[in-house]
Amino acid sequence: MTDEAAVTGADSSVEADATTSLEALEAQGDAAADYIEALLDICDLDGDIDIDVENGRPYVSVSAEDPEALRTINRADTVNALQELARLAVQSKTGAFSRLILDIGGSRDARKGELALLVDRAIARVEEGAAQAALPPMSSYERKIVHDVVAERGFASHSVGEASDRHTVITRA
């Protein structure tokens, strides 16, 4: 992926996903929701599941009236692991790779806030004279959020590294 593609989130897989029908994306969301619902039943957790399609991706959100009800499964690492399992369940059921996004109890918004703080600290290092500031490795979804926040702050960013070592580097624009 080029640096520009990393910043914009554009690559050939996004173009391929743009051709995925709304019906297919909704079917992926339904398959993921079925998997998550079964998991909630096994764990004896109450939660409401909402399915949406945004930006060519199915989004499955789990919420509860009592935010503490989902506390055991809404940590970032747990949500990422459950998202990967849900993607595998979708692939098993539909035969298609899914770029599904899973949110449990507002975990994605909480993570966006954490990433924004991380970006602010990195930008402070650049403003103090560092040529660049590297962030820790993170998923492509989180890097996309970081690139968006960095651009909002008037700085530049690009991704470097491979696989699980891929991370974002922030520089002056």
Side-chain angles (χ1 to χ4, degrees):
M1 183 185 299
T2 66
D3 290 343
E4 181 181 347
V7 172
T8 63
D11 65 13
S12 59
S13 66
V14 171
E15 291 171 0
D17 285 342
T19 62
T20 303
S21 73
L22 180 60
E23 183 177 295
L25 293 171
E26 288 172 343
Q28 291 178 17
D30 288 338
D34 290 345
Y35 176 80
I36 296 299
E37 185 173 19
L39 176 81
L40 291 174
D41 288 344
I42 290 167
C43 296
D44 197 28
L45 296 172
D46 290 325
D48 297 319
I49 299 176
D50 293 315
I51 304 166
D52 198 9
V53 173
E54 296 176 24
N55 301 319
R57 290 180 179 223
Y59 281 75
V60 175
S61 300
V62 181
S63 59
E65 285 185 31
D66 177 11
E68 290 297 306
L70 300 173
R71 166 178 56 83
T72 58
I73 60 170
N74 75 347
R75 291 190 343 245
D77 289 344
T78 305
V79 173
N80 285 336
L82 292 174
Q83 176 177 278
E84 290 306 313
L85 291 171
R87 286 177 174 178
L88 289 172
V90 169
Q91 187 170 8
S92 176
K93 188 169 185 177
T94 67
F97 172 77
S98 178
R99 295 178 61 225
L100 167 90
I101 298 297
L102 176 64
D103 178 59
I104 299 177
S107 60
R108 292 291 173 193
D109 287 339
R111 183 64 178 148
K112 283 180 187 176
E114 292 170 3
L115 292 171
L117 288 174
L118 195 62
V119 166
D120 289 341
R121 282 189 231 123
I123 286 174
R125 291 194 311 267
V126 172
E127 288 178 329
E128 291 170 357
Q132 63 184 24
L135 300 181
M138 57 188 70
S139 71
S140 61
Y141 179 78
E142 289 178 334
R143 287 193 316 275
K144 173 66 170 117
I145 292 169
V146 166
H147 291 306
D148 291 346
V149 171
V150 168
E152 287 172 9
R153 306 283 197 276
F155 284 76
S157 63
H158 62 279
S159 294
V160 296
E162 297 295 324
S164 63
D165 290 327
R166 194 152 177 84
H167 61 281
T168 306
V169 176
I170 300 171
T171 59
R172 291 192 180 278

